[in-house]
Amino acid sequence: MIYTTVAFVSGVVLLQFQSTLPPLSAWPLLLPLCLFAWRYRANPLIQLPATLLCGFFWAAVMAHSALDAALPEALEGADLLATGVIESLPDVTADRTRFWFQVEQLADAQQTYPVPGRVLLNWYRHAPALSAGDRWQFSVRLKRPHGLANPGAFDYEASLFQKGIRATGYIRGGPVNRRLGSVAIGYQFERMRQAIAERIDSVLQPGEPAGLVRALMIGDRSRISPAEWSAFRKTGTNHLVAISGLHIGIVSGIGFFLASGLWRRSARLCGLMPAPQAGAVAALISGFCYAGLAGFAIPCVRALVMLSAMLGGVLCRRPVQPERSLCMALLSIVLLDPISVISPGFWLSFGAVAVILLGILGRLRLKAALMAGLFRVQWVVALGLAPLLLLLGFELPIVSPLVNLIVVPLFSLLLVPLTLLSVTTLMLWPTLGSMLLAATAWLLGQTQGLLALVAEYSETITLAGVPPLWMLLGMLLSILLLLLPAGIPGRWLGLLLIWPLLFHRPASPPRGEVWMTMLDVGQGLAIVLQTSRHVLLYDAGPRFPSGFDTGAAVVLPYLRSRGVEKIDRIIVTNGDMDHRGGLASVLQELPSGTLLSGEPERIPSGRPVRCAAGTHWTWDGVRFEILHPDAASHWRGNDASCVLAVATAAGQLLLTGDIEAAAEERLIAHHGERLASTVVTVPHHGSAGSSSMRFINATGARYGLISAGYRNRYGFPKAVVRQRWQARGATLLNTAEAGAISLRFTADGRIEGPFSYRKTHRRYWMSTPF
């Protein structure tokens, strides 16, 4: 069963790496393949490839079904009337309310349209109180799922696709927005989650860990602050915040021992059913209810299936092998939702159980030493999940095994049961529950404080780029060797095999070359220039009113993926938020050299120095020169932007920031032919007030690069600007369509690229790159 499960899941995973789906006409092959695999189940050379193909085509059928529900492109941005049901717990902040909405009907004044299914809606300003399970009619504007596409960064589009969200949008004001009623069946757990969340918020005051209580009780992590997440992440304890197998096991264990203990007190009840079987039923019911309160997340479903298999053996009085129950859980989830394999939580959830089974089962001596057993579990989980965490782009805290050795028993034996008891009491007996919850919140707050203290001094390991295949295979083999029982010869070789990975660094440019990447930061700008031994960051991306910071979410992950440990120079072209918003996060995480800006007085972070035309330097055979603004420094706003020329053997790269017509004319007057460039960043994101024909002709660019937000409210780049550049023969690329754009100016006079991240890393669920 193990080999069959691995083969089927491998086929499902293989499908997720495809840039396009196989035609739906191929799905009839699925049934013959299943029969073929069953017919030759005794011959692994035939059965396993057939099972892999079964997984591949099954995932393709489900993916086609998911994509068929996508919002028609023609409806993006249109005013529509959507009728449906609020499906999730509303996430309420000071400026907006966000929730999942299951659309039942979509129409405008003329006709109805195909229903996109689940959509993610925001209600800005003066949103009323909303409840899960309520049916509403909304005036909405929707767009197809679209996220920033960058190397090393979080894939928002994949996350939306995995959650079944087929469109995002916002609610427009007006009298048409009205509640139509309530759905009686299907949303009981969501209503219960919302009632618990509201009761918790009514008791705990600002500054108390209400977010952590909500996370442990109902799986809602939206109220945990970035600082709190950082402490959990840097200590390797973030798994304790997400309701998973550990929490389901705690609740089920409490249910089992309470029910079986009470059952034994009645001879009549024991005559009807043995106490262990009664305890098993109670454990299943309590586990199911707790998973429902957590929204039936993948770790909870996996734990439920495994729990059902194990307790099913108790009910049937037959032993069940743990590895078989793990396979049953894995197959069940992949059959029901094959798209779940693109979620990091899927792999971390099953990976943790798999390595525990590999490293613990059969070690009989662990039963005699509780502390030794706990330490080995933490060692096994830390070691076994290390390669998976690194490959998924997560940090690997060095102190994680030691911290978890203390914190896991603390959460398991005290904090989680106390949270459950206090919140349950709060719902039934508010006065006593408030007192218990206050005590619980104090303990959780003290624990968070200690974790934050440890996080300040915690060192982490990150994987820079994607290592070669031989290193990945060596890492996998080393983990298997190190997890083998003591006494097996050759286990020490695992340390040698993992050693090369710790020193792996991505390739860097040879002398005389410069590699450029214009990151996809939405409506803003962030460009990384890398020479053989130096790195320059030209703008740091925006920070949005919602708190989303592209410096932390895009720039830093990209730099880490390139193995960058220091930024030698940062240029923040002007003081607007779309250029300086991410600067503070970058400066906080990475040591940096000189900070230049066209408007240093508007830069609140670091110690900026004013850009001055004529400033130049040479790095590794590549010349950099600032062409604008001049020393008179009378420039303000967009026209104060620092303009940087990078001269290489392959031609010149001209970075223009947000300059408009006046600054363009100044550049033409003072530099003339010096502006001739092979690659130019189109000024001010393609604004009509920039990119005059005189400036375009002066540059004579072969490529024009635009950094703009997808369907941004300014309409950048303007159609007239596109036409001007294209009339001059320039090829235009826009980050909103292409994702991150990269080029390599080689020392032998060639330009490699431009490369579009959406093309080179395309997956079938992504929005069309061009």
Side-chain angles (χ1 to χ4, degrees), residues 19 125 234 327 390 408 452 465 493 579 605 613 642 680:
S19 59
R125 296 183 301 274
K234 289 183 178 180
C327 289
L390 291 173
V408 168
L493 291 173
H579 296 259
S605 303
C642 306
V680 176

Side-chain angles (χ1 to χ4, degrees), residues 20 33 57 77 99 112 114 132 146 155 194 209 295 302 367 489 492 496 502 527 530 591 649 666 734 762:
T20 57
L33 278 171
F57 283 111
F99 54 91
T112 60
H146 189 95
D155 191 340
Q194 186 165 356
R302 183 263 304 160
K367 297 179 181 179
W492 61 272
L496 297 180
L502 300 178
I527 297 173
Q530 189 174 8
R666 186 261 170 192
N734 184 359
R762 174 133 185 92

Side-chain angles (χ1 to χ4, degrees), residues 226-238 448 451-455:
E228 291 172 329
W229 268 123
S230 178
F232 286 124
R233 189 183 70 251
K234 289 183 178 180
T235 54
T237 54
N238 45 347
Q448 280 186 294
L451 290 176
L453 182 63
V454 174

Side-chain angles (χ1 to χ4, degrees), residues 185-207:
I185 300 175
Y187 295 92
Q188 289 85 352
F189 276 122
E190 289 301 322
R191 290 196 184 96
M192 193 180 303
R193 295 179 73 207
Q194 186 165 356
I196 291 172
E198 292 172 353
R199 189 66 64 85
I200 291 171
D201 291 342
S202 69
V203 172
L204 296 182
Q205 302 300 317

Side-chain angles (χ1 to χ4, degrees), residues 318-633:
R318 297 182 62 181
V320 177
Q321 297 177 334
E323 59 270 23
R324 291 182 66 86
S325 64
L326 177 63
C327 289
M328 290 169 60
L330 183 58
L331 271 178
S332 300
I333 291 177
V334 171
L335 281 170
L336 293 173
D337 183 17
I339 300 171
S340 63
V341 300
I342 68 177
S343 166
F346 174 92
W347 295 104
L348 294 175
S349 173
F350 282 101
V353 178
V355 298
I356 288 174
L357 292 180
L358 178 64
I360 296 300
L361 288 183
R363 272 74 167 188
L364 298 179
R365 288 184 301 171
L366 295 178
K367 297 179 181 179
L370 177 60
M371 289 305 297
L374 288 173
F375 182 79
R376 181 170 182 85
V377 167
Q378 298 309 319
W379 157 252
V380 164
V381 171
L383 182 64
L385 290 186
L388 190 56
L389 286 166
L390 291 173
L391 290 177
L392 290 173
F394 293 103
E395 296 174 318
L396 191 63
I398 297 176
V399 300
S400 175
L402 180 60
V403 172
N404 277 280
L405 178 64
I406 300 170
V407 176
V408 168
L410 179 64
F411 268 73
S412 303
L413 302 177
L414 178 63
L415 296 179
V416 172
L418 193 56
T419 301
L420 296 174
L421 174 63
S422 60
V423 175
T424 302
T425 307
L426 179 67
M427 301 302 291
L428 301 176
W429 190 355
T431 303
L432 179 59
S434 298
M435 296 170 59
L436 286 174
L437 185 57
T440 303
W442 184 84
L443 289 173
L444 289 171
Q446 296 303 307
T447 304
Q448 280 186 294
L450 290 174
L451 290 176
L453 182 63
V454 174
E456 290 183 13
Y457 303 96
S458 174
E459 296 293 333
T460 59
I461 300 172
T462 56
L463 190 63
V466 180
L469 180 61
W470 69 269
M471 281 191 186
L472 298 178
L473 295 176
M475 178 172 60
L476 179 61
L477 181 58
S478 70
I479 298 302
L480 293 175
L481 287 171
L482 291 172
L483 291 180
L484 288 174
I488 295 181
R491 292 174 70 239
W492 61 272
L493 291 173
L495 297 175
L496 297 180
L497 291 172
I498 203 172
W499 198 252
L501 190 70
L502 300 178
F503 296 94
H504 167 73
R505 289 293 180 270
S508 59
R511 180 176 177 78
E513 292 194 7
V514 60
W515 294 356
M516 172 219 164
T517 300
M518 175 183 275
L519 295 169
D520 180 12
V521 293
Q523 190 59 34
L525 184 65
I527 297 173
V528 176
L529 300 178
Q530 189 174 8
T531 65
S532 179
R533 294 178 299 171
H534 296 85
V535 174
L536 184 145
L537 176 62
Y538 185 86
D539 282 333
R543 186 178 189 276
F544 296 97
S546 64
F548 180 71
D549 182 346
T550 56
V554 175
V555 178
L556 284 172
Y558 172 75
L559 293 173
R560 292 190 185 107
S561 75
R562 296 293 311 144
V564 173
E565 298 177 352
K566 177 188 177 183
I567 304 174
D568 297 279
R569 183 159 295 180
I570 299 177
I571 299 177
V572 179
T573 55
N574 62 65
D576 291 344
M577 185 60 75
D578 58 333
H579 296 259
R580 67 169 172 87
L583 178 64
S585 298
V586 173
L587 293 177
Q588 182 179 353
E589 293 294 327
L590 286 179
S592 304
T594 307
L595 172 60
L596 302 176
S597 177
E599 294 185 293
E601 66 279 0
R602 295 181 62 195
I603 309 300
S605 303
R607 297 180 178 178
V609 178
R610 188 177 301 278
C611 287
T615 304
H616 61 87
W617 65 93
T618 300
W619 283 345
D620 309 316
V622 179
R623 178 181 170 83
F624 297 77
E625 182 179 356
I626 293 176
L627 304 183
H628 179 82
D630 54 31
S633 69

